[in-house]
Amino acid sequence: MNIVLIGFRGTGKSTVGKLLSKRLERDFIDSDQYIESITGKTIKSIFEDDGEEGFRKIEADTIAELSKVDNKVISAGGGVVLKEENVRNLKEKGFLVLLEATPEIIYKRISQDEKTTQQRPSLTDKTPLDEIRHLIAIREHAYSNAADYTINTSYVSCEDIVNEIITVENKQSN
Ligand code: S3P
Protein backbone atom coordinates (compact mmCIF):
# COMPACT_ATOMS: atom_id res chain seq x y z
CA MET A 1 0.00 0.00 0.00
CA ASN A 2 1.29 3.48 -0.88
CA ILE A 3 0.78 6.43 1.42
CA VAL A 4 -0.30 9.33 -0.79
CA LEU A 5 -0.23 12.88 0.55
CA ILE A 6 -2.75 15.20 -1.06
CA GLY A 7 -3.69 18.81 -0.31
CA PHE A 8 -3.13 22.39 -1.36
CA ARG A 9 0.29 23.94 -1.97
CA GLY A 10 2.11 24.64 1.27
CA THR A 11 0.24 22.18 3.47
CA GLY A 12 3.46 20.24 4.15
CA LYS A 13 3.19 17.33 1.68
CA SER A 14 6.88 17.32 0.67
CA THR A 15 8.33 17.97 4.12
CA VAL A 16 6.10 15.41 5.81
CA GLY A 17 6.50 12.97 2.91
CA LYS A 18 10.30 12.99 3.13
CA LEU A 19 10.26 12.46 6.91
CA LEU A 20 7.66 9.73 6.63
CA SER A 21 9.61 7.90 3.94
CA LYS A 22 12.74 7.95 6.15
CA ARG A 23 10.83 6.65 9.17
CA LEU A 24 9.15 3.87 7.17
CA GLU A 25 12.24 3.18 5.05
CA ARG A 26 10.23 3.54 1.88
CA ASP A 27 11.06 5.51 -1.27
CA PHE A 28 9.64 9.01 -1.59
CA ILE A 29 8.18 10.23 -4.87
CA ASP A 30 7.10 13.82 -5.47
CA SER A 31 4.81 14.00 -8.53
CA ASP A 32 6.02 17.51 -9.51
CA GLN A 33 9.67 16.51 -9.31
CA TYR A 34 8.88 13.38 -11.30
CA ILE A 35 7.18 15.48 -14.00
CA GLU A 36 10.19 17.81 -14.11
CA SER A 37 12.59 14.88 -14.43
CA ILE A 38 10.72 13.15 -17.27
CA THR A 39 9.98 16.32 -19.26
CA GLY A 40 13.29 18.03 -18.52
CA LYS A 41 11.29 21.22 -17.85
CA THR A 42 10.23 23.10 -14.77
CA ILE A 43 6.53 23.12 -13.84
CA LYS A 44 6.57 26.87 -14.48
CA SER A 45 7.85 26.45 -18.04
CA ILE A 46 5.31 23.68 -18.77
CA PHE A 47 2.58 26.15 -17.73
CA GLU A 48 4.17 28.83 -19.94
CA ASP A 49 4.45 26.56 -23.00
CA ASP A 50 1.33 24.37 -22.71
CA GLY A 51 -0.95 26.26 -20.31
CA GLU A 52 -2.64 24.74 -17.27
CA GLU A 53 -4.55 22.29 -19.46
CA GLY A 54 -1.34 20.94 -20.96
CA PHE A 55 0.16 20.58 -17.51
CA ARG A 56 -2.93 18.73 -16.22
CA LYS A 57 -2.63 16.19 -19.06
CA ILE A 58 1.02 15.49 -18.26
CA GLU A 59 0.08 15.33 -14.57
CA ALA A 60 -2.71 12.78 -15.25
CA ASP A 61 -0.34 10.54 -17.26
CA THR A 62 2.23 10.79 -14.48
CA ILE A 63 -0.30 9.92 -11.79
CA ALA A 64 -1.49 6.91 -13.82
CA GLU A 65 2.10 5.69 -13.99
CA LEU A 66 2.90 6.40 -10.33
CA SER A 67 -0.29 4.65 -9.22
CA LYS A 68 1.21 1.33 -10.34
CA VAL A 69 4.06 1.42 -7.79
CA ASP A 70 3.61 -0.08 -4.34
CA ASN A 71 4.92 0.54 -0.83
CA LYS A 72 6.03 4.12 -1.53
CA VAL A 73 5.31 7.51 -0.02
CA ILE A 74 3.93 9.77 -2.74
CA SER A 75 3.41 13.52 -2.56
CA ALA A 76 0.82 14.51 -5.16
CA GLY A 77 0.70 18.03 -6.65
CA GLY A 78 -2.00 20.26 -5.17
CA GLY A 79 -4.25 20.08 -8.24
CA VAL A 80 -4.22 16.30 -8.66
CA VAL A 81 -7.69 15.96 -7.10
CA LEU A 82 -9.18 18.09 -9.90
CA LYS A 83 -9.44 15.01 -12.13
CA GLU A 84 -11.48 12.09 -10.80
CA GLU A 85 -9.38 9.64 -12.79
CA ASN A 86 -6.29 10.71 -10.80
CA VAL A 87 -8.02 10.00 -7.49
CA ARG A 88 -9.36 6.68 -8.80
CA ASN A 89 -5.87 5.66 -9.94
CA LEU A 90 -4.16 6.70 -6.71
CA LYS A 91 -6.72 4.86 -4.59
CA GLU A 92 -6.04 1.53 -6.28
CA LYS A 93 -2.93 1.02 -4.20
CA GLY A 94 -2.94 4.06 -1.99
CA PHE A 95 -4.14 5.35 1.35
CA LEU A 96 -4.85 9.06 0.73
CA VAL A 97 -3.96 11.44 3.55
CA LEU A 98 -5.20 15.01 3.11
CA LEU A 99 -3.03 17.72 4.66
CA GLU A 100 -4.77 21.02 5.36
CA ALA A 101 -3.68 24.41 6.71
CA THR A 102 -5.15 27.91 7.02
CA PRO A 103 -4.75 30.20 3.98
CA GLU A 104 -2.56 32.57 6.03
CA ILE A 105 -0.18 29.79 7.05
CA ILE A 106 -0.08 28.43 3.49
CA TYR A 107 0.74 31.90 2.22
CA LYS A 108 3.56 32.28 4.72
CA ARG A 109 5.00 28.85 3.93
CA ILE A 110 4.91 29.16 0.15
CA SER A 111 6.28 32.66 0.07
CA GLN A 112 9.30 31.41 2.06
CA ASP A 113 9.76 28.21 0.01
CA GLU A 114 12.41 28.41 -2.73
CA LYS A 115 10.48 25.78 -4.76
CA THR A 116 7.69 28.30 -5.31
CA THR A 117 9.29 30.22 -8.19
CA GLN A 118 9.85 27.15 -10.38
CA GLN A 119 7.03 24.87 -9.30
CA ARG A 120 4.14 27.14 -8.35
CA PRO A 121 3.09 29.52 -11.12
CA SER A 122 0.06 31.74 -10.42
CA LEU A 123 -3.16 29.95 -11.28
CA THR A 124 -5.42 33.02 -11.30
CA ASP A 125 -5.01 36.77 -11.70
CA LYS A 126 -5.73 37.29 -7.99
CA THR A 127 -3.24 38.41 -5.35
CA PRO A 128 -1.47 35.42 -3.72
CA LEU A 129 -3.53 35.24 -0.52
CA ASP A 130 -6.81 35.74 -2.40
CA GLU A 131 -5.79 33.05 -4.88
CA ILE A 132 -5.17 30.61 -2.02
CA ARG A 133 -8.58 31.37 -0.41
CA HIS A 134 -10.37 31.18 -3.76
CA LEU A 135 -8.82 27.88 -4.89
CA ILE A 136 -9.26 26.20 -1.52
CA ALA A 137 -12.96 27.13 -1.60
CA ILE A 138 -13.29 25.68 -5.11
CA ARG A 139 -11.33 22.52 -4.35
CA GLU A 140 -12.56 21.82 -0.82
CA HIS A 141 -15.04 19.12 -1.86
CA ALA A 142 -12.62 17.39 -4.20
CA TYR A 143 -10.03 17.24 -1.41
CA SER A 144 -12.40 15.91 1.22
CA ASN A 145 -14.04 13.41 -1.14
CA ALA A 146 -10.64 12.01 -2.09
CA ALA A 147 -9.30 11.78 1.47
CA ASP A 148 -9.18 8.57 3.49
CA TYR A 149 -7.85 10.58 6.45
CA THR A 150 -7.34 14.31 7.11
CA ILE A 151 -4.80 16.19 9.23
CA ASN A 152 -4.67 19.93 9.80
CA THR A 153 -0.97 20.83 9.78
CA SER A 154 -1.34 24.49 10.77
CA TYR A 155 -0.16 24.19 14.37
CA VAL A 156 1.26 20.66 14.54
CA SER A 157 4.93 19.67 14.28
CA CYS A 158 6.03 17.53 11.32
CA GLU A 159 7.12 14.85 13.79
CA ASP A 160 3.59 14.63 15.26
CA ILE A 161 2.02 14.53 11.79
CA VAL A 162 4.34 11.68 10.78
CA ASN A 163 3.47 9.75 13.97
CA GLU A 164 -0.25 10.24 13.35
CA ILE A 165 0.01 8.99 9.77
CA ILE A 166 1.99 5.92 10.86
CA THR A 167 -0.58 5.09 13.56
CA VAL A 168 -3.56 5.45 11.27
CA GLU A 169 -1.93 3.58 8.39
CA ASN A 170 -1.06 0.68 10.70
CA LYS A 171 -4.70 0.42 11.80
CA GLN A 172 -5.78 0.58 8.16
CA SER A 173 -3.54 -2.23 6.96
CA ASN A 174 -4.25 -4.58 9.93
C1 S3P B 1 -0.49 23.07 -8.20
C2 S3P B 1 0.33 22.71 -7.16
C3 S3P B 1 1.78 22.45 -7.34
C4 S3P B 1 2.09 22.07 -8.79
C5 S3P B 1 1.50 23.07 -9.74
C6 S3P B 1 -0.03 23.18 -9.60
C7 S3P B 1 -1.93 23.34 -7.92
O1 S3P B 1 2.19 21.38 -6.48
O2 S3P B 1 1.63 20.80 -9.10
O3 S3P B 1 2.11 24.31 -9.51
O4 S3P B 1 -2.73 23.40 -8.86
O5 S3P B 1 -2.28 23.47 -6.71
P1 S3P B 1 2.42 21.52 -4.88
O6 S3P B 1 1.09 21.32 -4.24
O7 S3P B 1 3.36 20.40 -4.58
O8 S3P B 1 3.00 22.86 -4.62
Side-chain angles (χ1 to χ4, degrees):
M1 189 86 155
N2 297 307
I3 300 179
V4 183
L5 303 177
I6 59 169
F8 199 72
R9 298 167 161 178
T11 49
K13 299 180 302 261
S14 301
T15 314
V16 169
K18 281 180 201 154
L19 278 172
L20 189 61
S21 74
K22 277 206 188 110
R23 278 277 299 277
L24 296 174
E25 297 182 351
R26 297 194 198 183
D27 295 333
F28 173 69
I29 306 171
D30 178 306
S31 70
D32 288 329
Q33 269 173 16
Y34 191 79
I35 290 172
E36 291 187 334
S37 72
I38 52 168
T39 60
K41 291 163 84 171
T42 62
I43 303 295
K44 185 176 167 231
S45 64
I46 298 174
F47 268 78
E48 281 164 1
D49 295 346
D50 309 320
E52 180 171 352
E53 214 185 308
F55 170 75
R56 297 295 174 205
K57 281 198 189 112
I58 300 173
E59 183 172 62
D61 291 344
T62 303
I63 293 297
E65 195 184 323
L66 293 182
S67 298
K68 293 183 191 143
V69 303
D70 203 3
N71 249 340
K72 313 275 184 215
V73 175
I74 300 173
S75 166
V80 154
V81 295
L82 295 173
K83 279 191 199 280
E84 273 178 33
E85 69 173 273
N86 292 339
V87 175
R88 226 179 14 248
N89 284 335
L90 287 169
K91 274 187 181 283
E92 278 195 17
K93 286 189 189 169
F95 180 65
L96 271 57
V97 179
L98 169 64
L99 301 186
E100 294 182 323
T102 66
E104 291 74 17
I105 286 178
I106 289 175
Y107 173 63
K108 200 169 151 203
R109 287 182 187 159
I110 62 183
S111 47
Q112 288 168 355
D113 184 353
E114 57 189 26
K115 240 174 56 175
T116 295
T117 9
Q118 295 310 320
Q119 287 193 355
R120 298 186 179 119
S122 301
L123 298 169
T124 64
D125 52 10
K126 298 180 184 307
T127 59
L129 186 55
D130 278 349
E131 173 171 299
I132 295 165
R133 291 194 178 115
H134 173 74
L135 291 179
I136 287 179
I138 290 178
R139 293 178 180 180
E140 216 160 33
H141 283 291
Y143 283 134
S144 56
N145 284 341
D148 294 307
Y149 190 78
T150 303
I151 303 177
N152 191 313
T153 68
S154 300
Y155 308 104
V156 190
S157 72
C158 287
E159 195 61 26
D160 286 349
I161 298 165
V162 166
N163 288 337
E164 188 170 343
I165 296 174
I166 291 174
T167 308
V168 77
E169 207 261 343
N170 271 338
K171 277 191 203 146
Q172 174 75 17
S173 44
N174 289 328

